[in-house]
Amino acid sequence: SGNRPLPKWLTDQRLLTIYIIRKS
Amino acid sequence: MRLLFLKILAAAGIASLACTTKVSEWVLLNALPDEYTLAYYHKEPFSQTIKQQNSDIINDIKSANIQFKNVLKTDIDKPYYALFYRNRLFSRYNDHRELDNLAVSPLREKIARELMAGKLCVMVYLKTDIPEKDDKGLQILKRTVNGSPFGNIIPVIELSRNSAEEKHFVSMLLNVESDLKVIDEPMLFGIFGRFKALEPLLAKGISEENINLMIDFLTADCSCLIKDNLPGTDILFTNRWENPAPALVNKILDENPLLLHH
């Protein structure tokens, strides 16, 4: 699976409002 | 309290990036094919015959992913046509008759029909016409596709690299990578989307494992942030990609959730 490399695609595959009101 | 809000907001942001569209489907719906350029190189002014000849060529290719341009070049002996893709020379033609059926051919039409019908991809097996080389890979391909849960939505098409009728298609496939033309081995191209051909498996690489990885690639969820580096080469063909049938892969995955993967 002359030693040509595999394709790259194959190897790759392989509340806030309430909080503010209360605070104010 | 504030930290909790930040966590909730971050979780919501990540959730909104999730996407269940498959790679093959997304490319068909969204990725426009890259354009070819057909250049006419000349050093003399156009004669009426040449004007008419080029007008006919433009008319033949006007609905395809290609543009035509004239290039004045003084250091040539005689005029010629050259086909480029992403600034790479694919083919050179000395006679305008060689350009007949450049953008369309029976096999390309058949493949486009399959893609528009919602098939996952079309696997094109490019044969050398040497049975000792071709037969083993073809058997592995058919066995693997037939054994895949997605086998029914993956048509397999055989094509001879010596086909006269499909010479332009063969030439484009052999230009997907720069060295394929000089490798006399059977090759397997996965074609998906709007006629995008993946870099091929060839010779011993046409294995069950690698074919299944190709299927995995095309059936995977969209999940990452890189969409501009899609692999493959767009094949020259007419631009009629509106309203494709729904992707059949979704039906299979709905019925078999265990096949879902990322």
Side-chain angles (χ1 to χ4, degrees):
Chain A
S1 297
N3 294 353
R4 205 167 174 279
L6 285 161
K8 192 171 187 311
W9 62 262
L10 193 147
T11 53
D12 279 357
Q13 186 64 35
R14 182 193 64 196
L15 288 170
L16 196 60
T17 308
I18 293 168
Y19 173 70
I20 290 167
I21 290 169
R22 281 186 174 182
K23 196 173 181 184
S24 61
Chain B
M1 186 74 169
R2 187 170 290 176
L3 193 62
L4 178 66
F5 282 126
L6 283 173
K7 281 180 180 173
I8 292 170
L9 275 173
I14 290 166
S16 69
L17 278 177
C19 174
T20 59
T21 308
K22 305 298 166 234
V23 170
S24 57
E25 183 184 15
W26 187 91
V27 174
L28 177 61
L29 293 173
N30 298 288
L32 295 175
D34 284 341
E35 288 218 320
Y36 284 75
T37 299
L38 181 64
Y40 176 63
Y41 288 95
H42 64 100
K43 65 175 180 181
E44 307 289 349
F46 292 160
S47 66
Q48 193 56 42
T49 310
I50 294 292
K51 272 185 185 170
Q52 183 57 50
Q53 180 180 295
N54 286 350
S55 173
D56 291 343
I57 290 168
I58 291 166
N59 198 45
D60 284 346
I61 62 176
K62 66 182 176 189
S63 62
N65 51 323
I66 186 171
Q67 54 175 309
F68 183 90
K69 67 177 184 184
N70 294 301
V71 181
L72 188 63
K73 200 174 184 187
T74 53
D75 59 344
I76 56 173
D77 294 333
K78 57 180 186 178
Y80 65 91
Y81 297 89
L83 183 68
F84 294 91
Y85 177 81
R86 291 179 180 165
N87 294 322
R88 199 152 62 84
L89 177 65
F90 267 30
S91 303
R92 176 180 161 148
Y93 312 93
N94 292 319
D95 190 312
H96 70 96
R97 283 167 296 194
E98 292 178 68
L99 294 167
D100 288 350
N101 300 322
L102 179 65
V104 70
S105 62
L107 195 59
R108 276 180 282 179
E109 288 183 334
K110 182 179 178 182
I111 291 170
R113 278 197 300 273
E114 297 282 19
L115 295 173
M116 288 295 282
K119 299 289 172 67
L120 179 71
C121 68
V122 176
M123 293 206 178
V124 174
Y125 189 71
L126 190 64
K127 299 190 295 187
T128 61
D129 290 341
I130 304 169
E132 304 85 74
K133 287 186 173 183
D134 295 337
D135 291 352
K136 188 182 174 192
L138 189 58
Q139 284 173 8
I140 292 170
L141 171 60
K142 287 181 174 175
R143 192 175 63 231
T144 306
V145 169
N146 289 337
S148 167
F150 303 101
N152 288 337
I153 57 171
I154 304 175
V156 173
I157 290 178
E158 298 172 41
L159 170 64
S160 164
R161 67 193 288 163
N162 302 310
S163 166
E165 188 176 47
E166 297 292 341
K167 63 177 181 180
H168 295 300
F169 184 29
V170 171
S171 170
M172 287 170 217
L173 290 174
L174 291 175
N175 273 297
V176 166
E177 291 184 274
S178 57
D179 59 348
L180 296 180
K181 274 186 270 195
V182 297
I183 299 176
D184 195 19
E185 297 286 347
M187 302 177 187
L188 176 62
F189 294 86
I191 296 182
F192 67 109
R194 301 183 185 194
F195 235 123
K196 192 178 277 291
L198 284 171
E199 290 80 9
L201 308 175
L202 56 100
K204 293 178 181 175
I206 302 172
S207 65
E208 185 173 350
E209 179 184 27
N210 288 341
I211 294 167
N212 279 324
L213 280 168
M214 187 189 291
I215 295 170
D216 284 351
F217 172 79
L218 294 166
T219 55
D221 278 353
C222 302
S223 59
C224 86
L225 299 175
I226 299 176
K227 66 172 181 179
D228 291 331
N229 287 325
L230 281 167
T233 294
D234 293 299
I235 299 298
L236 181 56
F237 190 64
T238 53
N239 286 328
R240 296 191 197 113
W241 300 106
E242 290 82 24
N243 305 317
L248 297 169
V249 65
N250 293 328
K251 186 170 184 289
I252 293 173
L253 292 169
D254 284 346
E255 291 167 358
N256 305 279
L258 291 175
L259 295 174
L260 282 166
H261 65 101
H262 301 288

